[in-house]
Amino acid sequence: MFYGLTQMVLLLDTGRAMGWHGGLFEVSALQIHGHNLSNDNLGSLQTTSGIEADRSTRLWELWVQQKFLDEDRLDLRLGQQSLDQEFMSSQNAGFFVNTMFGWPMVPSADLPGGGPAYPLSALGARARWRVLDGVTLLAGLFNGSPANGNQDDPQEQNASGTLFPLNGGALAIAELQFAHPALGAMVHAGESAALPRVLKIGAWYDSENFPDQDIATNGVSLADPASSSHPRPHRGDWSIYAVLDQMLWQAPAEADRTLNLFLRAMGTPQTDRNPIDFSLNAGLTLHEPILNRDDDTLGIGIGVAHVSGGAAQLDADTAFFNHAGFPVRGFETYVEATYQYEVTPWWQIQPDFQYVFHPGGGVPDPLDPGRVLEDEAVIGVRTNIVL
């Protein structure tokens, strides 16, 4: 199965272009083609590739950014933005293919439309303030949903990416970042350089309405034949998260050769309105695994998604009222092993292997509803060409 993405980006330095110093302007578009492997064939929660999406040609981001204060300590960005480009990100996780190493499972499943992340975006404002050397605050306020309404596929509702909805609630997000050693920190004679790490702690709150995972508006389970069939609405939703990137080892005579750890955990206590209440991504990356292959990377990672108590209770109620033996979802886990090989500075080839345990958290097999989906193995190759 083949699927692909062509991304077009125009980035303008306004100082060089028109004498407007400290400014940047960006507009980007996506052309998405091919099939959606996870939705069409696998039934997994944590989709196997970060470029899987509905086939379309769409506007992605459109923003302007301005720097303030001395030493560029503050910048403000306004416009249509995709949050996965800056928030919740891990430098080392970005080498992997699975979607959840980019935009994690909790916001993907819980936010309206999966949140303003590839291939979607939302209007809003983002501020970045370097409070101290090594300490940065990143915060933003965006439209609460990347599409008008939250009932249908948001990619179909805004297929061109040009609707710019401002209805509904608001999504507020803040992230505090700690880098050690701070950029530009001096290493004194006789001291060895500290292995760098970046710790990010953040939270988001969305004021949209969220449907209950099990209870209907008349107070009984949605699986109960006596239910109104309309989920009970809840106002607002939130989550907290932490991201760690830590270098574990650096070759004494080969600075590019490093072993790195990444870890990202995210959770929410509001299990009544969220299908997923916890997700975890972790892994190791080895840069220059083969000596003198400076830009190759070997990685192994894992992702875990836990189905919330409310969603699991609906499964149990479904088994009670309608279908004895209907499975109760629990968790889904995948592991990924990958190798990014640089053919030229503008072309990389990346063989990839993923294995999924309990696809969908343990959902019925559509070809044999009496059984749950069995574990799945996915083998593929990704190629990146940058022009």
Side-chain angles (χ1 to χ4, degrees), residues 143-163:
N143 191 53
S145 174
N148 287 309
N150 300 316
Q151 302 302 317
D152 302 315
D153 184 349
Q155 296 180 48
E156 293 181 358
Q157 291 180 34
N158 191 2
S160 65
T162 58
L163 293 183

Side-chain angles (χ1 to χ4, degrees), residues 63-290:
W63 51 256
V64 61
Q65 177 176 300
Q66 178 64 48
K67 295 179 180 179
F68 300 94
L69 303 181
D70 295 336
E71 300 179 346
D72 301 330
R73 284 190 172 270
L74 175 66
D75 64 73
L76 179 65
R77 179 179 294 181
L78 301 173
Q80 188 85 345
Q81 301 173 54
S82 186
L83 270 63
D84 56 344
Q85 299 304 290
E86 295 187 302
F87 291 91
M88 310 180 203
S89 63
S90 163
Q91 178 181 359
N92 291 292
F95 290 99
F96 290 81
V97 175
N98 192 284
T99 303
M100 301 310 147
F101 286 122
W103 187 243
M105 191 67 230
V106 166
S108 294
D110 298 348
L111 282 174
Y118 171 89
L120 303 172
S121 54
L123 285 171
R126 187 276 289 150
R128 178 170 50 200
W129 177 30
R130 185 155 53 90
V131 184
L132 301 167
D133 290 343
V135 180
T136 300
L137 175 64
L138 191 66
L141 183 65
F142 303 89
N143 191 53
S145 174
N148 287 309
N150 300 316
Q151 302 302 317
D152 302 315
D153 184 349
Q155 296 180 48
E156 293 181 358
Q157 291 180 34
N158 191 2
S160 65
T162 58
L163 293 183
F164 310 115
L166 280 173
N167 61 305
L171 170 61
I173 184 169
E175 181 176 291
L176 197 57
Q177 305 174 350
F178 304 90
H180 179 79
L183 185 64
M186 298 294 292
V187 178
H188 301 286
E191 295 180 348
S192 59
L195 294 176
R197 67 173 174 268
V198 177
L199 173 65
K200 302 176 181 180
I201 301 173
W204 57 260
Y205 173 80
D206 196 312
S207 66
E208 291 269 350
N209 284 321
F210 293 80
D212 197 284
Q213 295 298 299
D214 180 47
I215 305 301
T217 51
N218 61 343
V220 301
S221 172
L222 290 163
D224 190 330
S227 82
S228 65
S229 300
H230 299 290
R232 180 170 60 188
H234 299 278
R235 186 69 171 177
D237 195 7
W238 62 276
S239 174
I240 58 174
Y241 64 90
V243 184
L244 174 67
D245 280 289
Q246 172 70 64
M247 185 182 293
L248 301 176
W249 170 80
Q250 184 176 41
E254 190 72 24
D256 291 334
R257 201 172 200 193
T258 61
L259 177 66
N260 305 275
L261 166 75
F262 69 87
L263 177 67
R264 178 175 55 204
M266 176 176 288
T268 174
Q270 297 184 297
T271 61
D272 56 354
R273 67 203 68 181
N274 291 309
I276 300 295
D277 59 14
F278 176 78
S279 65
L280 173 74
N281 306 106
L284 296 168
T285 59
L286 178 61
H287 299 292
E288 196 181 343
I290 301 173

Side-chain angles (χ1 to χ4, degrees), residues 286-297:
L286 178 61
H287 299 292
E288 196 181 343
I290 301 173
L291 196 61
N292 298 321
R293 293 290 311 167
D294 295 1
D295 295 303
D296 287 7
T297 302

Side-chain angles (χ1 to χ4, degrees), residues 214 220-227 229 313-327 364 369:
D214 180 47
V220 301
S221 172
L222 290 163
D224 190 330
S227 82
S229 300
Q313 186 59 52
L314 178 61
D315 293 341
D317 292 341
T318 300
F320 177 78
F321 286 107
N322 302 309
H323 192 295
F326 188 86

